[in-house]
Amino acid sequence: MGKRILVTGGAGYIGSHTVLQLLLADFSVAVVDNLDNSSEAALERVAKLAGDAGRNLSFHKIDLRDRDALKKIFDSTKFDAVIHFAGLKAVGESVEKPLLYYNNNIIGTIILLETMANYGCKKLVFSSSATVYGWPKEVPCTEVFPLCATNPYGRTKLMIEEICRDIHCGDSEWDIILLRYFNPVGAHPSGFIGEDPRGIPNNLMPFVQQVAVGRRPALTVYGNDYSTKDGTGVRDYIHVVDLADGHIAAVEKLFQGGSKTGCQVYNLGTGKGTSVLEMVAAFEKASGKKIPLVMAGRRPGDCETVYASTSKAEKELNWKAKYGIEEMCRDQWNWASKNPWGYGKPDESTNPST
Ligand code: NAD
Ligand code: UFG
């Protein structure tokens, strides 16, 4: 039996892909998720995709803020490390409902960290975000850039990073890796798991995907007057399977014998910038679908160009993204065309065992 990992938010988009890679790498995984923004079907599919290793997956439908329920899970299993994905992530909603975000993301994290400390589990990987770089003065963003937050969601990421730095400062037994994700897109190449956001998608690729399957008439492009190659915003899109593999590399670093990890931060991106129009063109090519566009003004809070410096992760995690935007769009379309309604309407053809 491999090491035991608790994965919070493991039914979600990035979590489900990471759980699969963990199982395939021989880890034993317990997922805690309240299913607020996900479906248990994702984990059922993960277990099938993992084959025999699927038996090493357990699921607990609980909210992280339910201290007693969390305690029971730690009572029943001695975890070697925790990967903490659980959180709310919609920027606009966080502006309208800041208390919801502070309550869920901050209180949930504090209860998790307190429980880990009580049970002597002091190895953590946390999902941070490139949002902590704000509108960077230059690119690529390196991990030592100044940090800022422009909305409550981003502030929760920044606050949790600071909490992690503080607890490591107070107790050097903690080993913590903060992963700053750039823009995760795509899906598992099988097409059985992928992103299935509730409501109107906030992010570019889930929206494009819903236009392609006929659920929405057109993509609104937010701003074509930026100082970029074609006037639209530039981002560092990263295939979700590469991102998931970045977590395996991080967990393995936590378990490396000898030196302590301390509290380290790594960017997970590709180091390449792609504009909105380039991404749409790549998706049209992969899917054979035309994506109607409506040009609109800039989205408040958006920045012009963000992409990662990847050298620290390459050097210290021995990890590098393998996939480019062609594969990202191919796999996004494979998932979307097989599951036009996400996990919402189960369909026999999406069952990996058939
Ligand atoms: P997601 O919404 O698909 O997954 C998050 C999961 O956490 C969901 O399954 C949700 O039900 C669960 N959850 C939320 N609050 C919870 C609580 N209190 N208790 C238990 N479960 C709870 O999102 P994702 O895209 O997979 O993102 C995972 C993490 O990565 C989040 O912390 C997010 O902020 C961060 N992140 C995401 C992106 C992105 O673009 N997707 C970028 C940077 C960082
Ligand atoms: N965009 C559109 N139309 C849309 C959606 C997005 O034109 O319907 C544009 C945006 O203006 C931006 C680009 O597509 O130029 C990417 O936008 P996303 O919303 O997909 O991604 P962001 O970079 O704005 O933000 C995302 C997450 C943040 C996270 C950040 C970095 O929403 O929470 O990636 O990881 F912090």
Side-chain angles (χ1 to χ4, degrees):
M1 168 76 75
K3 291 205 158 36
R4 295 187 179 90
I5 314 290
L6 178 76
V7 180
T8 76
Y13 172 46
I14 306 169
S16 55
H17 289 80
T18 303
V19 169
L20 176 58
Q21 300 307 92
L22 284 167
L23 293 169
L24 295 176
D26 206 29
F27 289 97
S28 171
V29 180
V31 168
V32 163
D33 200 303
N34 62 6
L35 302 182
D36 254 19
N37 194 37
S38 52
S39 160
E40 196 173 345
L43 290 175
E44 286 160 10
R45 293 189 188 184
V46 164
K48 282 184 183 157
L49 283 169
D52 284 348
R55 64 174 184 271
N56 296 327
L57 172 64
S58 63
F59 172 57
H60 308 270
K61 183 180 179 310
I62 67 159
D63 191 295
L64 263 192
R65 291 161 296 178
D66 183 344
R67 193 187 288 273
D68 291 339
L70 194 60
K71 195 169 166 292
K72 277 194 191 126
I73 296 168
F74 277 82
D75 274 334
S76 67
T77 310
K78 187 171 170 6
F79 293 108
D80 297 293
V82 173
I83 305 182
H84 179 31
F85 292 106
L88 299 174
K89 63 166 186 176
V91 173
E93 186 186 50
S94 82
V95 174
E96 284 161 26
K97 302 176 184 170
L99 285 175
L100 178 70
Y101 274 66
Y102 291 126
N103 188 312
N104 192 80
N105 294 6
I106 303 290
I107 295 179
T109 300
I110 289 174
I111 290 174
L112 173 69
L113 293 172
E114 285 174 346
T115 309
M116 288 174 67
N118 288 341
Y119 285 80
C121 173
K122 296 184 181 177
K123 291 188 188 298
L124 174 76
V125 176
F126 171 64
S127 303
S128 188
S129 165
T131 195
V132 299
Y133 296 121
W135 185 319
K137 284 208 178 80
E138 52 180 329
V139 279
C141 300
T142 70
E143 288 83 349
V144 296
F145 271 23
L147 305 179
C148 73
T150 54
N151 56 69
Y153 163 72
R155 255 183 291 283
T156 67
K157 292 295 174 198
L158 209 48
M159 285 179 193
I160 296 169
E161 283 205 6
E162 298 293 9
I163 290 170
C164 289
R165 282 186 271 272
D166 285 341
I167 60 173
H168 173 261
C169 200
D171 175 358
S172 61
E173 279 181 16
W174 280 89
D175 280 320
I176 302 176
I177 293 184
L178 310 170
L179 296 177
R180 293 185 185 146
Y181 311 153
F182 282 67
N183 291 59
V185 298
H188 189 266
S190 64
F192 296 124
I193 55 172
E195 185 166 16
D196 181 21
R198 299 256 157 97
I200 302 171
N202 298 291
N203 299 119
L204 178 66
M205 292 313 282
F207 203 103
V208 168
Q209 162 185 325
Q210 292 195 3
V211 174
V213 298
R215 286 171 64 176
R216 304 194 183 273
L219 170 74
T220 304
V221 176
Y222 296 128
N224 57 358
D225 59 348
Y226 288 110
S227 303
T228 58
K229 40 195 146 188
D230 56 25
T232 63
V234 167
R235 296 290 184 276
D236 186 340
Y237 296 94
I238 173 168
H239 196 297
V240 66
V241 174
D242 272 333
L243 191 68
D245 285 338
H247 291 74
I248 312 299
V251 165
E252 277 166 358
K253 183 165 177 71
L254 289 179
F255 293 134
Q256 258 168 22
S259 63
K260 300 279 290 171
T261 307
C263 183
Q264 286 290 338
V265 52
Y266 297 99
N267 288 337
L268 293 185
T270 64
K272 296 185 186 76
T274 304
S275 73
V276 174
L277 296 183
E278 286 174 329
M279 207 59 191
V280 170
F283 187 86
E284 286 184 333
K285 192 167 170 217
S287 64
K289 299 276 176 188
K290 184 84 197 137
I291 305 296
L293 302 179
V294 175
M295 294 298 170
R298 296 180 179 193
R299 189 170 62 174
D302 263 1
C303 47
E304 190 166 272
T305 299
V306 187
Y307 56 88
S309 160
T310 57
S311 46
K312 188 175 178 205
E314 279 173 34
K315 203 165 133 217
E316 296 182 20
L317 295 180
N318 203 16
W319 167 90
K320 189 176 175 12
K322 294 192 284 281
Y323 301 113
I325 60 168
E326 268 175 40
E327 287 103 343
M328 296 176 211
C329 291
R330 176 199 68 196
D331 294 338
Q332 183 109 25
W333 175 241
N334 187 35
W335 154 252
S337 55
K338 285 179 172 156
N339 307 269
W341 295 91
Y343 297 109
K345 292 190 179 169
D347 174 340
E348 286 304 305
S349 66
T350 62
N351 184 340
S353 64
T354 56

